[in-house]
Amino acid sequence: MRFILAGVAAADFSSWDRVLKRHVAVNGSAAGIPMHKVDYCAIAADPDFESFKHELAVADAANLTKAEVYALYMNAYNALAVDMIIRHPRPARRLGKCISSITDIGVPAVSVWNEFAGVVAGKNMSLNEIEGLLRDPSPLGYEEDCRVHGCIVCASVSCPNLRAEAYTVELLDEQMTDNVKDWLASTGKGVAVTGDHLTASHILSPTPWFAADFTKCNGSPLAFIAKYGTAEVQEFIAGHSQVSLSYYPYNWTLNGDAPCGCSVGFTDALI
């Protein structure tokens, strides 16, 4: 994707793309769950990461197409979730101990999701605000694309995998579908046939999760699964008039080694 920067003709996501290609290993695992493992210390030391955060901050988000909105804000969410971990390696609620989960960040009155995450297009934003825009882009004249739930990554084992490349407008449809299929096919965190029912990601479950989104986009979470799930799952759904869902426990463990020994970045968090 290309988007206009203040005082600059145009820019792309090449800096973030280089970061992801260098520092996301696609063959990681934790607790028996395959995942893309993030090298937080290496990202913290990579000048391209600082460059990308600056590009996000000065981006002009006016008059973007839907594909440009999704590419910009999905990349922003993923980069700023990574940055949240880098900036808070020893959060206060851990009493100085090394972070083990993004949910360790924040205080009782303000969760990590509502904390300041970074600046996007000149606006201070939290992760919840970025996610909220992606879930409801109607103020910009667009409807939600529910594949977004398989593309934004909350720095945890049970989240969809952090893609090892940046999202771009030119490839966005292909990239989103690929990430969703990868997520739903993932052992222990996607969707699988379990005896007489399906076991699925909690992301697909009712409030406070996102079943209502999938119902709005596809008619039901099951219809979304039938469209993007594995061949085995699709065959199971087609062969049953009624399908019940249970849900995997959500593993909030970090999707990479905690950045507490990094020589770059904060050594103590404010919150």
Side-chain angles (χ1 to χ4, degrees):
M1 173 202 179
R2 299 179 69 79
F3 58 95
I4 304 302
L5 297 177
V8 182
D12 57 23
F13 291 126
S14 58
S15 56
W16 178 229
D17 189 69
R18 288 191 296 271
V19 169
L20 293 168
K21 284 181 166 65
R22 289 176 189 138
H23 308 308
V24 176
V26 300
N27 58 350
S29 67
I33 300 174
M35 67 171 190
H36 291 186
K37 186 174 181 179
V38 179
D39 189 338
Y40 287 101
C41 279
I43 292 175
D46 193 328
D48 273 330
F49 187 55
E50 289 302 314
S51 295
F52 181 62
K53 288 191 294 179
H54 173 72
E55 290 171 1
L56 283 178
V58 300
D60 182 354
N63 302 313
L64 298 181
T65 66
K66 184 174 181 178
E68 289 171 335
V69 168
Y70 271 81
L72 173 59
Y73 286 97
M74 288 195 307
N75 283 320
Y77 185 100
N78 290 343
L80 295 179
V82 167
D83 194 51
M84 188 73 77
I85 303 302
I86 291 169
R87 291 190 293 111
H88 299 87
R90 300 181 186 277
R93 65 171 56 182
R94 291 280 292 171
L95 302 177
K97 296 180 181 178
C98 190
I99 189 173
S100 63
S101 167
I102 192 170
T103 59
D104 291 334
I105 301 169
V107 294
V110 183
S111 74
V112 62
W113 315 116
N114 293 317
E115 270 296 324
F116 168 75
V119 182
V120 184
K123 180 180 179 181
N124 290 352
M125 299 191 76
S126 67
L127 293 176
N128 258 352
E129 287 172 325
I130 299 172
E131 182 185 83
L133 185 150
L134 290 165
R135 290 180 61 205
D136 180 18
S138 59
L140 304 178
Y142 305 119
E143 295 182 349
E144 180 182 8
D145 184 333
C146 282
R147 292 179 298 173
V148 69
H149 291 290
C151 299
I152 57 174
V153 183
C154 56
S156 305
V157 169
S158 284
C159 296
N161 286 322
L162 182 61
R163 193 172 184 84
E165 65 178 6
Y167 292 105
T168 67
V169 168
E170 295 78 11
L171 297 175
L172 190 67
D173 185 64
E174 175 186 335
Q175 289 176 316
M176 291 183 75
T177 293
D178 181 66
N179 232 68
V180 166
K181 288 184 174 181
D182 174 76
W183 163 47
L184 295 185
S186 296
T187 302
K189 68 177 183 180
V191 179
V193 177
T194 311
D196 62 352
H197 70 283
L198 297 178
T199 305
S201 168
H202 247 101
I203 293 170
L204 293 148
S205 68
T207 303
W209 296 84
F210 306 112
D213 289 32
F214 297 105
T215 298
K216 180 179 65 176
C217 291
N218 296 88
S220 69
L222 194 62
F224 182 86
I225 294 167
K227 184 172 183 178
Y228 297 108
T230 64
E232 181 186 13
V233 167
Q234 291 176 340
E235 182 178 346
F236 181 87
I237 293 171
H240 293 77
S241 58
Q242 292 187 326
V243 177
S244 61
L245 294 173
S246 64
Y247 302 99
Y248 291 113
Y250 209 84
N251 188 331
W252 287 102
T253 303
L254 284 181
N255 58 351
D257 295 332
C260 296
C262 299
S263 59
V264 178
F266 292 99
T267 55
D268 293 291
L270 298 176
I271 58 172

